[in-house]
Coordinates of all heavy atoms in Angstrom, one line a residue:
M15 N 2.7 -4.2 -15.6 CA 2.0 -3.0 -16.3 C 1.4 -3.6 -17.5 O 2.1 -4.3 -18.4 CB 3.1 -2.0 -16.6 CG 2.6 -0.8 -17.3 SD 3.8 0.6 -17.6 CE 4.0 1.1 -16.0
S16 N 0.2 -3.2 -17.9 CA -0.4 -3.7 -19.0 C 0.0 -2.9 -20.3 O 0.6 -1.9 -20.1 CB -2.1 -3.5 -18.8 OG -2.3 -2.1 -19.0
M17 N -0.3 -3.5 -21.4 CA 0.0 -2.8 -22.7 C -0.6 -1.4 -22.9 O 0.0 -0.5 -23.3 CB -0.3 -3.7 -23.8 CG 0.1 -3.1 -25.2 SD -0.4 -4.3 -26.5 CE 1.3 -4.5 -27.2
I18 N -1.9 -1.3 -22.3 CA -2.5 -0.1 -22.4 C -1.9 1.0 -21.6 O -1.8 2.1 -22.0 CB -4.1 -0.2 -22.1 CG1 -4.9 1.1 -22.5 CG2 -4.3 -0.5 -20.7 CD1 -5.0 1.3 -24.0
D19 N -1.5 0.5 -20.3 CA -0.7 1.5 -19.5 C 0.5 1.9 -20.1 O 1.0 3.2 -19.9 CB -0.4 0.9 -18.1 CG -1.7 0.7 -17.3 OD1 -2.6 1.5 -17.5 OD2 -1.7 -0.3 -16.5
Q20 N 1.3 1.1 -20.9 CA 2.5 1.5 -21.5 C 2.2 2.4 -22.7 O 3.0 3.3 -23.0 CB 3.2 0.3 -22.0 CG 3.7 -0.6 -20.9 CD 4.3 -1.9 -21.4 OE1 4.8 -2.0 -22.5 NE2 4.4 -2.9 -20.5
I21 N 1.0 2.4 -23.4 CA 0.7 3.1 -24.6 C 0.2 4.5 -24.1 O 0.6 5.5 -24.7 CB -0.3 2.4 -25.5 CG1 0.3 1.1 -26.0 CG2 -0.8 3.4 -26.5 CD1 -0.7 0.3 -26.8
I22 N -0.6 4.5 -23.1 CA -1.3 5.8 -22.7 C -0.7 6.1 -21.3 O -0.7 5.4 -20.5 CB -2.8 5.5 -22.5 CG1 -3.4 5.2 -23.8 CG2 -3.4 6.8 -22.0 CD1 -4.8 4.8 -23.8
D23 N -0.2 7.3 -21.3 CA 0.4 7.9 -20.0 C -0.8 8.3 -19.1 O -1.4 9.4 -19.5 CB 1.3 9.0 -20.3 CG 1.9 9.6 -19.0 OD1 1.7 9.0 -17.9 OD2 2.6 10.7 -19.1
F24 N -1.2 7.7 -18.0 CA -2.3 8.0 -17.2 C -1.8 9.2 -16.3 O -2.7 9.6 -15.5 CB -2.9 6.8 -16.5 CG -3.6 6.0 -17.5 CD1 -3.1 4.9 -17.9 CD2 -4.9 6.4 -18.0 CE1 -3.9 4.0 -18.9 CE2 -5.5 5.6 -18.8 CZ -5.1 4.4 -19.3
N25 N -0.7 9.6 -16.1 CA -0.2 10.6 -15.2 C -0.1 11.8 -16.1 O 0.4 11.9 -17.2 CB 1.2 10.2 -14.6 CG 1.0 9.0 -13.8 OD1 0.1 8.9 -13.0 ND2 1.9 8.1 -13.9
K26 N -0.5 12.9 -15.5 CA -0.5 14.2 -16.3 C 0.3 15.3 -15.5 O 0.3 15.3 -14.2 CB -2.0 14.7 -16.5 CG -2.9 13.8 -17.1 CD -2.3 13.6 -18.6 CE -3.0 12.4 -19.2 NZ -2.2 11.8 -20.2
S27 N 0.9 16.2 -16.2 CA 1.7 17.3 -15.7 C 1.2 18.5 -16.2 O 0.9 18.7 -17.4 CB 3.2 17.1 -15.9 OG 3.7 16.0 -15.3
F28 N 1.1 19.5 -15.3 CA 0.8 20.9 -15.8 C 2.1 21.8 -15.5 O 2.6 21.8 -14.5 CB -0.4 21.5 -15.0 CG -0.6 22.8 -15.3 CD1 -1.2 23.3 -16.4 CD2 -0.2 23.9 -14.3 CE1 -1.4 24.7 -16.6 CE2 -0.3 25.2 -14.5 CZ -1.0 25.6 -15.7
V29 N 2.5 22.4 -16.5 CA 3.8 23.2 -16.5 C 3.5 24.7 -16.8 O 3.1 25.0 -17.9 CB 4.9 22.8 -17.4 CG1 6.2 23.5 -17.2 CG2 5.2 21.2 -17.1
A30 N 3.7 25.6 -15.8 CA 3.6 27.0 -16.0 C 5.0 27.5 -16.2 O 6.0 26.8 -16.1 CB 2.9 27.6 -14.8
H31 N 5.2 28.7 -16.6 CA 6.5 29.2 -16.7 C 6.6 30.6 -15.8 O 5.7 31.3 -15.5 CB 6.8 29.6 -18.2 CG 5.8 30.5 -18.8 ND1 4.7 30.0 -19.3 CD2 5.8 31.9 -19.1 CE1 4.0 31.0 -19.8 NE2 4.7 32.2 -19.7
S32 N 7.9 30.9 -15.5 CA 8.1 32.1 -14.7 C 8.0 33.3 -15.7 O 8.0 33.2 -16.9 CB 9.7 32.1 -14.1 OG 10.5 32.1 -15.2
H33 N 7.9 34.5 -15.1 CA 7.7 35.8 -15.8 C 6.5 35.8 -16.8 O 6.6 36.3 -18.0 CB 9.0 36.1 -16.5 CG 10.2 36.0 -15.7 ND1 10.4 36.8 -14.5 CD2 11.2 35.1 -15.8 CE1 11.6 36.3 -13.9 NE2 12.1 35.4 -14.6
C34 N 5.4 35.1 -16.3 CA 4.3 34.9 -17.2 C 3.5 36.2 -17.4 O 3.2 36.9 -16.3 CB 3.4 33.8 -16.7 SG 2.0 33.5 -17.7
G35 N 3.1 36.5 -18.6 CA 2.4 37.8 -18.9 C 1.0 37.7 -18.3 O 0.3 38.7 -18.0
A36 N 0.5 36.4 -18.0 CA -0.8 36.3 -17.5 C -0.9 36.9 -16.1 O -2.0 37.1 -15.6 CB -1.4 34.9 -17.5
C37 N 0.2 37.0 -15.5 CA 0.3 37.6 -14.1 C -0.4 39.1 -14.1 O -0.7 39.6 -13.2 CB 1.7 37.7 -13.5 SG 2.3 36.1 -13.1
H38 N -0.3 39.7 -15.2 CA -0.6 41.1 -15.3 C -2.0 41.4 -16.1 O -2.2 42.5 -16.5 CB 0.5 41.9 -15.9 CG 1.9 41.6 -15.3 ND1 2.1 42.1 -14.0 CD2 2.9 40.9 -15.7 CE1 3.4 41.6 -13.7 NE2 3.8 40.9 -14.6
M39 N -2.6 40.3 -16.5 CA -3.9 40.4 -17.2 C -4.9 41.2 -16.4 O -5.0 41.0 -15.2 CB -4.4 39.1 -17.6 CG -3.7 38.3 -18.7 SD -4.3 36.8 -19.2 CE -5.8 36.5 -18.2
S40 N -5.8 41.9 -17.1 CA -6.8 42.6 -16.4 C -8.0 42.8 -17.4 O -7.7 42.9 -18.6 CB -6.5 43.9 -15.8 OG -6.3 44.9 -16.9
Y41 N -9.2 42.8 -16.9 CA -10.4 43.1 -17.8 C -10.2 44.4 -18.5 O -10.6 44.6 -19.7 CB -11.7 43.0 -17.0 CG -12.8 43.5 -17.9 CD1 -13.3 42.5 -18.9 CD2 -13.4 44.6 -17.7 CE1 -14.4 43.0 -19.7 CE2 -14.5 45.1 -18.5 CZ -15.0 44.2 -19.5 OH -15.9 44.6 -20.3
D42 N -9.8 45.5 -17.8 CA -9.6 46.8 -18.4 C -8.8 46.7 -19.6 O -9.1 47.3 -20.6 CB -9.0 47.8 -17.4 CG -10.0 48.1 -16.2 OD1 -11.2 48.0 -16.5 OD2 -9.5 48.4 -15.2
H43 N -7.7 46.0 -19.6 CA -6.8 45.9 -20.8 C -7.6 45.2 -21.9 O -7.6 45.7 -23.0 CB -5.6 45.1 -20.4 CG -4.7 44.7 -21.6 ND1 -4.0 45.6 -22.3 CD2 -4.7 43.6 -22.3 CE1 -3.3 45.0 -23.4 NE2 -3.8 43.8 -23.4
F44 N -8.1 44.1 -21.6 CA -8.9 43.3 -22.6 C -10.1 44.0 -23.2 O -10.4 43.9 -24.3 CB -9.3 41.9 -22.1 CG -8.2 40.9 -22.1 CD1 -7.6 40.6 -20.8 CD2 -7.6 40.4 -23.2 CE1 -6.5 39.7 -20.8 CE2 -6.5 39.5 -23.2 CZ -6.1 39.2 -22.0
H45 N -10.8 44.8 -22.3 CA -12.0 45.6 -22.7 C -11.6 46.4 -23.9 O -12.2 46.5 -25.0 CB -12.6 46.3 -21.6 CG -13.7 47.1 -22.0 ND1 -13.7 48.5 -22.0 CD2 -15.0 46.7 -22.4 CE1 -14.9 48.9 -22.4 NE2 -15.7 47.9 -22.7
H46 N -10.4 47.3 -23.7 CA -10.0 48.1 -24.9 C -9.7 47.3 -26.1 O -9.9 47.8 -27.2 CB -8.9 49.0 -24.3 CG -9.3 49.9 -23.2 ND1 -10.1 50.9 -23.3 CD2 -8.9 49.9 -21.8 CE1 -10.3 51.5 -22.1 NE2 -9.5 50.9 -21.3
E47 N -8.9 46.3 -25.9 CA -8.5 45.4 -27.0 C -9.8 44.9 -27.7 O -9.9 44.8 -29.0 CB -7.8 44.3 -26.6 CG -6.4 44.6 -26.0 CD -5.4 45.1 -27.1 OE1 -5.4 44.7 -28.2 OE2 -4.7 46.2 -26.8
M48 N -10.8 44.4 -27.0 CA -12.0 43.8 -27.7 C -12.8 44.9 -28.4 O -13.2 44.7 -29.5 CB -12.9 43.2 -26.6 CG -12.3 41.9 -26.1 SD -13.4 41.0 -24.9 CE -13.2 42.0 -23.4
I49 N -13.0 46.1 -27.8 CA -13.6 47.1 -28.5 C -12.9 47.5 -29.8 O -13.5 47.7 -30.9 CB -13.8 48.4 -27.6 CG1 -14.6 48.1 -26.3 CG2 -14.3 49.7 -28.3 CD1 -16.0 47.6 -26.7
A50 N -11.5 47.6 -29.7 CA -10.7 48.0 -30.9 C -10.9 46.9 -32.0 O -10.8 47.2 -33.2 CB -9.3 48.1 -30.5
R51 N -11.2 45.7 -31.6 CA -11.3 44.6 -32.6 C -12.7 44.4 -33.1 O -13.0 43.4 -33.7 CB -10.8 43.3 -32.1 CG -9.3 43.4 -31.6 CD -8.2 42.9 -32.5 NE -8.4 41.9 -33.5 CZ -7.9 40.9 -33.5 NH1 -7.1 40.5 -32.5 NH2 -8.1 40.0 -34.5
G52 N -13.7 45.3 -32.6 CA -15.1 45.2 -33.1 C -16.1 44.5 -32.1 O -17.3 44.4 -32.5
V53 N -15.7 44.2 -30.9 CA -16.7 43.6 -30.0 C -17.4 44.8 -29.4 O -16.8 45.8 -28.9 CB -16.0 42.7 -28.9 CG1 -17.0 42.3 -27.9 CG2 -15.2 41.6 -29.6
T54 N -18.7 44.8 -29.4 CA -19.4 46.0 -28.8 C -19.7 45.8 -27.3 O -19.7 44.7 -26.8 CB -20.8 46.1 -29.5 OG1 -21.6 45.0 -29.2 CG2 -20.6 46.2 -31.0
D55 N -19.9 47.0 -26.7 CA -20.2 47.0 -25.3 C -21.6 46.2 -25.1 O -21.8 45.6 -24.0 CB -20.3 48.4 -24.7 CG -18.9 49.0 -24.4 OD1 -18.1 48.2 -23.8 OD2 -18.7 50.1 -24.6
E56 N -22.5 46.4 -26.1 CA -23.7 45.6 -26.0 C -23.5 44.2 -25.9 O -24.1 43.5 -25.2 CB -24.6 46.0 -27.2 CG -25.9 45.3 -27.3 CD -26.8 45.6 -28.4 OE1 -26.5 45.0 -29.5 OE2 -27.6 46.5 -28.3
T57 N -22.6 43.6 -26.7 CA -22.2 42.1 -26.6 C -21.7 41.9 -25.2 O -22.0 40.8 -24.6 CB -21.3 41.8 -27.8 OG1 -21.9 42.0 -29.0 CG2 -20.8 40.3 -27.6
L58 N -20.8 42.6 -24.7 CA -20.2 42.4 -23.5 C -21.3 42.4 -22.3 O -21.2 41.7 -21.3 CB -19.1 43.4 -23.1 CG -17.9 43.3 -24.1 CD1 -16.9 44.4 -23.9 CD2 -17.2 41.9 -24.0
D59 N -22.3 43.4 -22.5 CA -23.3 43.4 -21.5 C -24.2 42.1 -21.5 O -24.6 41.6 -20.5 CB -24.2 44.7 -21.8 CG -23.5 46.0 -21.4 OD1 -22.6 45.9 -20.6 OD2 -23.9 47.0 -21.9
T60 N -24.5 41.7 -22.8 CA -25.3 40.4 -22.9 C -24.4 39.2 -22.1 O -25.1 38.4 -21.5 CB -25.4 40.1 -24.4 OG1 -26.2 41.2 -24.9 CG2 -26.1 38.8 -24.6
I61 N -23.2 39.2 -22.4 CA -22.4 38.1 -21.7 C -22.5 38.2 -20.2 O -22.7 37.3 -19.6 CB -20.8 38.2 -22.2 CG1 -20.7 37.8 -23.6 CG2 -20.0 37.3 -21.3 CD1 -19.4 38.1 -24.2
R62 N -22.4 39.5 -19.8 CA -22.6 39.6 -18.3 C -24.1 39.2 -17.8 O -24.2 38.5 -16.7 CB -22.4 41.2 -17.9 CG -21.0 41.4 -17.8 CD -20.8 42.7 -16.9 NE -19.4 43.0 -16.7 CZ -18.5 43.6 -17.4 NH1 -18.9 44.2 -18.6 NH2 -17.2 43.7 -17.0
K63 N -25.0 39.5 -18.6 CA -26.4 39.2 -18.2 C -26.6 37.6 -18.2 O -27.5 37.1 -17.6 CB -27.3 39.8 -19.2 CG -27.5 41.3 -19.0 CD -28.4 41.9 -20.0 CE -28.5 43.5 -19.9 NZ -29.2 44.1 -20.9
C64 N -25.7 37.0 -18.9 CA -25.8 35.5 -18.9 C -25.0 34.9 -17.7 O -24.9 33.7 -17.6 CB -25.1 34.9 -20.3 SG -26.1 35.2 -21.7
G65 N -24.5 35.8 -16.8 CA -23.9 35.3 -15.6 C -22.4 35.1 -15.6 O -21.8 34.5 -14.7
I66 N -21.8 35.6 -16.8 CA -20.3 35.5 -16.8 C -19.6 36.7 -16.3 O -20.0 37.9 -16.8 CB -19.9 35.2 -18.3 CG1 -20.4 34.0 -18.8 CG2 -18.4 35.3 -18.3 CD1 -20.2 33.7 -20.3
D67 N -18.8 36.6 -15.3 CA -18.1 37.8 -14.6 C -16.8 38.0 -15.4 O -15.8 37.3 -15.2 CB -17.9 37.5 -13.2 CG -17.2 38.6 -12.5 OD1 -16.7 39.6 -13.2 OD2 -17.2 38.6 -11.2
L68 N -16.9 38.9 -16.3 CA -15.7 39.1 -17.2 C -14.6 39.7 -16.4 O -13.4 39.4 -16.7 CB -16.0 40.2 -18.3 CG -17.0 39.6 -19.4 CD1 -17.5 40.6 -20.4 CD2 -16.4 38.4 -20.1
D69 N -14.8 40.4 -15.3 CA -13.7 40.9 -14.5 C -12.9 39.8 -13.9 O -11.8 39.8 -13.9 CB -14.3 41.9 -13.4 CG -14.9 43.2 -14.0 OD1 -14.2 43.9 -14.7 OD2 -16.1 43.3 -13.9
Q70 N -13.6 38.8 -13.4 CA -13.0 37.6 -12.8 C -12.4 36.7 -13.8 O -11.3 36.3 -13.7 CB -14.1 36.9 -11.9 CG -13.3 35.7 -11.2 CD -14.3 35.0 -10.4 OE1 -15.6 35.1 -10.5 NE2 -13.8 34.1 -9.6
W71 N -13.1 36.5 -14.9 CA -12.7 35.6 -15.9 C -11.5 36.0 -16.6 O -10.7 35.2 -17.0 CB -13.8 35.4 -16.9 CG -13.7 34.3 -17.9 CD1 -13.5 32.9 -17.6 CD2 -13.6 34.4 -19.3 NE1 -13.2 32.2 -18.8 CE2 -13.3 33.0 -19.8 CE3 -13.7 35.4 -20.2 CZ2 -13.2 32.9 -21.2 CZ3 -13.5 35.2 -21.5 CH2 -13.3 33.9 -22.0
L72 N -11.3 37.3 -16.9 CA -10.2 37.9 -17.6 C -9.1 38.4 -16.7 O -8.1 39.0 -17.1 CB -10.6 39.0 -18.6 CG -11.4 38.3 -19.6 CD1 -12.1 39.5 -20.6 CD2 -10.7 37.4 -20.6
E73 N -9.3 38.2 -15.4 CA -8.2 38.6 -14.4 C -7.1 37.7 -14.4 O -7.4 36.5 -14.2 CB -8.8 38.8 -13.1 CG -7.8 39.3 -12.0 CD -7.4 40.7 -12.2 OE1 -8.2 41.5 -12.7 OE2 -6.3 41.1 -11.7
G74 N -5.9 38.1 -14.4 CA -4.7 37.2 -14.4 C -4.5 36.7 -13.0 O -5.3 36.9 -12.1
F75 N -3.3 36.2 -12.7 CA -3.0 35.8 -11.3 C -1.8 36.5 -10.9 O -1.0 37.0 -11.6 CB -2.8 34.3 -11.3 CG -1.8 33.8 -12.3 CD1 -0.5 33.8 -12.0 CD2 -2.2 33.4 -13.6 CE1 0.5 33.4 -12.9 CE2 -1.3 33.0 -14.4 CZ 0.1 33.0 -14.2
K76 N -1.6 36.6 -9.6 CA -0.6 37.4 -9.1 C 0.6 36.5 -8.6 O 1.7 37.0 -8.3 CB -1.0 38.3 -7.9 CG -2.2 39.1 -8.3 CD -1.9 40.1 -9.4 CE -3.1 41.1 -9.7 NZ -3.5 41.1 -11.1
D77 N 0.3 35.3 -8.3 CA 1.3 34.4 -7.7 C 1.3 33.0 -8.5 O 0.3 32.3 -8.5 CB 0.9 34.1 -6.2 CG 1.7 33.2 -5.5 OD1 3.0 33.4 -5.6 OD2 1.3 32.2 -4.9
T78 N 2.4 32.8 -9.2 CA 2.4 31.6 -10.1 C 2.3 30.3 -9.4 O 1.6 29.4 -9.8 CB 3.7 31.7 -11.0 OG1 3.7 32.9 -11.7 CG2 3.7 30.5 -12.0
P79 N 2.9 30.1 -8.2 CA 2.8 28.9 -7.5 C 1.4 28.5 -7.0 O 0.8 27.5 -7.2 CB 3.8 28.9 -6.3 CG 4.8 29.8 -6.8 CD 4.0 31.0 -7.6
T80 N 0.7 29.7 -6.6 CA -0.7 29.5 -6.2 C -1.5 29.1 -7.4 O -2.4 28.3 -7.4 CB -1.2 30.8 -5.5 OG1 -0.4 31.0 -4.4 CG2 -2.7 30.6 -5.1
S81 N -1.3 29.8 -8.5 CA -2.0 29.4 -9.8 C -1.8 28.0 -10.3 O -2.7 27.3 -10.6 CB -1.5 30.4 -10.9 OG -2.2 30.0 -12.1
V82 N -0.6 27.5 -10.0 CA -0.3 26.1 -10.5 C -1.1 25.2 -9.5 O -1.7 24.2 -10.0 CB 1.2 25.8 -10.4 CG1 1.5 24.3 -10.5 CG2 1.9 26.6 -11.5
R83 N -1.1 25.4 -8.2 CA -1.8 24.6 -7.3 C -3.3 24.6 -7.6 O -3.9 23.5 -7.6 CB -1.7 25.1 -5.8 CG -0.3 24.8 -5.2 CD -0.2 25.3 -3.8 NE 1.1 25.3 -3.4 CZ 2.0 26.4 -3.5 NH1 1.4 27.6 -3.8 NH2 3.3 26.4 -3.1
K84 N -3.8 25.7 -7.8 CA -5.3 25.8 -8.2 C -5.6 25.1 -9.5 O -6.7 24.4 -9.6 CB -5.8 27.3 -8.4 CG -5.9 28.0 -7.0 CD -6.3 29.5 -7.3 CE -6.4 30.2 -6.1 NZ -6.9 31.6 -6.3
T85 N -4.8 25.2 -10.6 CA -5.0 24.5 -11.8 C -4.9 23.0 -11.6 O -5.7 22.3 -12.2 CB -3.9 24.9 -12.9 OG1 -4.1 26.4 -13.0 CG2 -4.1 24.3 -14.2
V86 N -3.9 22.5 -10.8 CA -3.8 21.1 -10.6 C -5.0 20.6 -9.8 O -5.6 19.6 -10.2 CB -2.5 20.8 -9.8 CG1 -2.6 19.4 -9.3 CG2 -1.3 21.0 -10.7
E87 N -5.5 21.4 -8.9 CA -6.7 21.0 -8.1 C -7.9 20.9 -9.0 O -8.8 20.0 -9.0 CB -6.9 21.9 -7.0 CG -8.1 21.5 -6.1 CD -7.8 20.1 -5.4 OE1 -6.7 19.7 -5.2 OE2 -8.9 19.6 -5.0
T88 N -8.1 21.8 -10.0 CA -9.2 21.9 -10.9 C -9.1 20.7 -11.8 O -10.1 20.0 -12.0 CB -9.1 23.3 -11.7 OG1 -9.2 24.4 -10.9 CG2 -10.2 23.2 -12.8
I89 N -7.9 20.3 -12.2 CA -7.9 19.1 -13.1 C -8.2 17.9 -12.3 O -9.0 17.0 -12.8 CB -6.5 19.0 -13.7 CG1 -6.2 20.2 -14.7 CG2 -6.3 17.7 -14.4 CD1 -4.7 20.3 -15.1
K90 N -7.6 17.8 -11.2 CA -7.8 16.6 -10.3 C -9.3 16.3 -9.9 O -9.7 15.2 -9.8 CB -6.9 16.6 -9.0 CG -5.5 16.5 -9.3 CD -4.7 16.7 -8.1 CE -4.8 15.6 -7.1 NZ -3.8 15.7 -6.0
T91 N -9.9 17.5 -9.7 CA -11.4 17.3 -9.2 C -12.4 17.5 -10.3 O -13.7 17.4 -10.0 CB -11.7 18.4 -8.2 OG1 -11.5 19.7 -8.8 CG2 -10.8 18.2 -7.0
H92 N -11.9 17.5 -11.6 CA -12.9 17.6 -12.8 C -13.6 16.2 -12.7 O -13.1 15.1 -12.7 CB -12.2 17.9 -14.0 CG -13.1 18.2 -15.1 ND1 -13.8 17.2 -15.8 CD2 -13.5 19.4 -15.6 CE1 -14.6 17.8 -16.7 NE2 -14.3 19.1 -16.6
P93 N -14.9 16.3 -13.0 CA -15.8 15.1 -13.0 C -15.4 14.1 -14.1 O -15.7 12.9 -13.9 CB -17.2 15.6 -13.2 CG -17.1 17.0 -13.6 CD -15.8 17.5 -13.2
L94 N -14.7 14.5 -15.1 CA -14.3 13.6 -16.2 C -13.0 13.0 -16.0 O -12.5 12.2 -16.8 CB -14.5 14.2 -17.6 CG -15.9 14.6 -17.9 CD1 -16.0 15.3 -19.2 CD2 -16.9 13.4 -17.9
V95 N -12.2 13.4 -15.0 CA -10.8 12.9 -14.8 C -10.9 11.8 -13.8 O -11.3 12.1 -12.6 CB -10.0 14.1 -14.3 CG1 -8.6 13.5 -13.9 CG2 -9.8 15.2 -15.4
P96 N -10.5 10.6 -14.1 CA -10.6 9.5 -13.1 C -9.7 9.8 -11.9 O -8.7 10.5 -12.1 CB -10.0 8.3 -14.0 CG -10.2 8.7 -15.4 CD -10.0 10.2 -15.4
R97 N -10.2 9.3 -10.8 CA -9.5 9.6 -9.5 C -8.1 9.1 -9.4 O -7.3 9.5 -8.5 CB -10.4 9.1 -8.3 CG -11.7 9.9 -8.2 CD -11.6 11.3 -8.0 NE -12.7 12.1 -8.2 CZ -12.8 13.2 -9.0 NH1 -11.7 13.7 -9.6 NH2 -13.9 13.8 -9.2
D98 N -7.8 8.0 -10.2 CA -6.5 7.4 -10.1 C -5.5 8.1 -10.9 O -4.3 7.7 -11.0 CB -6.5 5.9 -10.4 CG -6.9 5.6 -11.9 OD1 -7.6 6.5 -12.5 OD2 -6.7 4.6 -12.3
I99 N -5.8 9.1 -11.7 CA -4.9 10.0 -12.5 C -4.0 10.8 -11.5 O -4.5 11.4 -10.6 CB -5.6 10.8 -13.5 CG1 -6.4 10.0 -14.5 CG2 -4.6 11.7 -14.2 CD1 -5.7 9.1 -15.4
V100 N -2.7 10.6 -11.7 CA -1.7 11.5 -10.9 C -1.5 12.8 -11.7 O -1.2 12.8 -12.8 CB -0.4 10.8 -10.7 CG1 0.6 11.7 -10.0 CG2 -0.6 9.5 -9.9
V101 N -1.9 13.9 -11.0 CA -1.6 15.2 -11.7 C -0.6 16.0 -10.9 O -0.7 16.2 -9.7 CB -2.9 16.0 -11.9 CG1 -2.8 17.3 -12.5 CG2 -4.1 15.2 -12.4
R102 N 0.4 16.5 -11.6 CA 1.6 17.2 -10.9 C 1.7 18.6 -11.6 O 1.3 18.7 -12.7 CB 2.9 16.4 -11.1 CG 2.8 15.1 -10.5 CD 3.9 14.1 -10.9 NE 5.1 14.6 -10.4 CZ 6.4 14.3 -10.9 NH1 6.4 13.4 -11.9 NH2 7.5 14.7 -10.5
G103 N 2.1 19.5 -10.8 CA 2.3 20.8 -11.3 C 3.8 21.4 -11.1 O 4.3 21.2 -10.1
F104 N 4.3 22.0 -12.1 CA 5.6 22.6 -12.1 C 5.6 24.0 -12.7 O 4.7 24.5 -13.2 CB 6.4 21.7 -13.1 CG 6.6 20.2 -12.8 CD1 5.5 19.4 -13.2 CD2 7.6 19.8 -12.1 CE1 5.6 18.1 -13.0 CE2 7.7 18.5 -11.8 CZ 6.7 17.5 -12.2
I105 N 6.7 24.6 -12.3 CA 7.1 25.9 -12.9 C 8.5 25.8 -13.6 O 9.4 25.4 -13.0 CB 7.1 27.1 -11.9 CG1 5.7 27.3 -11.3 CG2 7.5 28.4 -12.6 CD1 5.7 28.3 -10.1
I106 N 8.5 26.2 -14.8 CA 9.8 26.1 -15.5 C 10.2 27.6 -15.6 O 9.6 28.5 -15.9 CB 9.7 25.6 -17.0 CG1 11.1 25.4 -17.5 CG2 8.8 26.3 -17.9 CD1 11.1 24.5 -18.8
D107 N 11.6 27.8 -15.2 CA 12.1 29.1 -15.3 C 12.4 29.4 -16.7 O 13.2 28.7 -17.4 CB 13.5 29.1 -14.4 CG 14.1 30.4 -14.3 OD1 14.4 31.1 -15.4 OD2 14.2 30.9 -13.2
S108 N 11.8 30.5 -17.1 CA 12.0 31.0 -18.6 C 13.4 31.3 -19.0 O 13.6 31.2 -20.2 CB 11.1 32.2 -18.8 OG 9.7 31.9 -18.5
E109 N 14.2 31.6 -18.0 CA 15.6 32.0 -18.4 C 16.5 30.7 -18.3 O 17.4 30.6 -19.3 CB 16.1 33.1 -17.5 CG 15.2 34.3 -17.8 CD 15.5 35.5 -16.7 OE1 16.4 35.3 -15.9 OE2 14.8 36.5 -16.7
T110 N 16.4 30.0 -17.3 CA 17.4 28.9 -17.1 C 16.9 27.6 -17.6 O 17.7 26.6 -17.8 CB 17.8 28.8 -15.6 OG1 16.6 28.4 -14.9 CG2 18.3 30.1 -15.0
G111 N 15.6 27.4 -17.6 CA 15.0 26.1 -18.0 C 14.8 25.2 -16.8 O 14.5 24.0 -16.9
A112 N 15.3 25.6 -15.7 CA 15.1 24.9 -14.4 C 13.7 24.5 -14.1 O 12.8 25.5 -14.2 CB 15.8 25.5 -13.2
L113 N 13.3 23.4 -13.8 CA 12.0 22.9 -13.5 C 11.9 22.7 -12.1 O 12.5 22.0 -11.4 CB 11.7 21.6 -14.3 CG 10.2 21.2 -14.4 CD1 9.5 22.2 -15.1 CD2 10.2 19.8 -15.0
K114 N 10.8 23.4 -11.4 CA 10.5 23.2 -10.0 C 9.2 22.6 -9.8 O 8.2 23.2 -10.4 CB 10.6 24.6 -9.3 CG 10.3 24.5 -7.9 CD 10.4 26.0 -7.3 CE 10.1 25.9 -5.8 NZ 10.1 27.3 -5.2
E115 N 9.1 21.5 -9.1 CA 7.8 20.9 -8.7 C 7.2 21.7 -7.7 O 7.7 22.0 -6.7 CB 8.0 19.5 -8.4 CG 6.7 18.7 -8.2 CD 6.8 17.2 -8.0 OE1 7.9 16.7 -7.8 OE2 5.7 16.6 -8.0
I116 N 5.9 22.0 -8.0 CA 5.0 22.8 -7.0 C 4.1 21.9 -6.3 O 3.9 21.9 -5.0 CB 4.2 23.9 -7.7 CG1 5.2 24.9 -8.5 CG2 3.4 24.7 -6.7 CD1 6.2 25.6 -7.6
V117 N 3.5 21.0 -7.0 CA 2.4 20.1 -6.4 C 2.8 18.7 -7.0 O 2.9 18.5 -8.3 CB 1.0 20.4 -6.9 CG1 0.0 19.4 -6.2 CG2 0.6 21.8 -6.5

């Protein structure tokens, strides 16, 4: 193992947690929050006209293991991530601290 390999960890891990609030995110909830904080519907319409689907972008996930798999795949296939990087995905139980490997 070279010195650079010892200094820089080329393997990456993504860790999600159980009972995640993102499981319940929705655009409807965020829309009300954004309006309350001063973001106008006109601004949100402009964002949509630029091709950003706020309903999809601000939608949470329903299944944590599936979300971990998708996130790991996104990281692994990103054009700036070298192909020899090992990316692993885990879920940590928020109550017990137990770590479960998903990918």
